Amino acid sequence: DAGVIQSPRHEVTEMGQEVTLRCKPISGHNSLFWYRQTMMRGLELLIYFNNNVPIDDSGMPEDRFSAKMPNASFSTLKIQPSEPRDSAVYFCASTFTAGGNSPLHFGNGTRLTVT
Amino acid sequence: QKEVEQNSGPLSVPEGAIASLNCTYSDRGSQSFFWYRQYSGKSPELIMFIYSNGDKEDGRFTAQLNKASQYVSLLIRDSQPSDSATYLCAVYSGGGADGLTFGKGTHLIIQP
């Protein structure tokens, strides 16, 4: 089991640029989550998918953020245009069931810095 | 707004002592409770979960749940320097995956 795989590990970009974060969930897991972590706000749920379908994107900060899951083994989180306040660590996590009753398995995260 | 509160710390504990981490939550209907450990620069990893009132033990870790007081704690016995990390409490209140709320974590330092 390779775990949840995220790329890139680090991303530094200039304000206004497009950023794409990638995630491969654990094989067999049917739910995928995107979280953002900052010192001020802690871990915040941005969006989650169940069986590749977006279920709740109410945590997405604004229209600059979008997420897709074209198949069971791949998801992207895109920020366009990026802003300095988007700087954070973005985690992808997966689990077997849709409900929050199941423990989450986190990827190593992408540390995003927008200058 | 469902809230999960933790003391941010740092909580400093001497090696070999018991470390006690506390978490309170606002939603009385909460069903499941998780403790994640996060080393600096790393991702959260699950170390304990508890669903029922009382204690649950796993090695040096004990989770304690008191639903009447809306309180969950994590005890670490014989604490080691390798236990130094941030501990995140997560509470599930039902209604799908968005019913899971994380606290901001307690930074634990085990002093050799």
Side-chain angles (χ1 to χ4, degrees), chain A residues 33 37 40 56 100-101 104 107, chain B residues 32 36 38 43 92 97-98 104:
Chain A
F33 307 78
Q37 187 176 40
M40 288 295 294
D56 185 357
N101 220 21
L104 299 179
Chain B
S32 310
Y36 287 82
Q38 186 174 23
S43 60
Y92 177 62
D98 57 342
K104 293 183 181 179

Side-chain angles (χ1 to χ4, degrees), chain A residues 5-115:
Chain A
I5 299 173
Q6 290 187 248
S7 64
R9 290 296 309 276
H10 303 274
E11 177 80 38
V12 180
T13 190
E14 293 183 347
M15 178 177 172
Q17 296 298 307
E18 177 179 297
V19 175
T20 299
L21 311 181
R22 297 173 175 78
C23 175
K24 176 180 170 57
I26 291 173
S27 177
H29 283 186
N30 64 352
S31 295
L32 182 141
F33 307 78
W34 283 100
Y35 282 88
R36 177 172 67 177
Q37 187 176 40
T38 61
M39 289 292 291
M40 288 295 294
R41 301 174 69 91
L43 265 174
E44 301 175 279
L45 177 65
L46 301 177
I47 185 172
Y48 79 95
F49 296 83
N50 182 240
N51 294 323
N52 312 338
V53 176
I55 303 300
D56 185 357
D57 65 354
S58 60
M60 298 284 259
E62 47 199 272
D63 291 346
R64 298 185 297 108
F65 286 68
S66 62
K68 294 181 180 180
M69 192 166 186
N71 57 62
S73 60
F74 184 66
S75 177
T76 59
L77 177 67
K78 186 177 293 186
I79 308 172
Q80 166 64 20
S82 57
E83 297 182 2
R85 58 191 169 126
D86 301 329
S87 297
V89 180
Y90 290 80
F91 287 106
C92 176
S94 70
T95 191
F96 179 65
T97 61
N101 220 21
S102 302
L104 299 179
H105 299 262
F106 285 85
N108 287 327
T110 296
R111 182 174 295 277
L112 174 64
T113 303
V114 183
T115 60

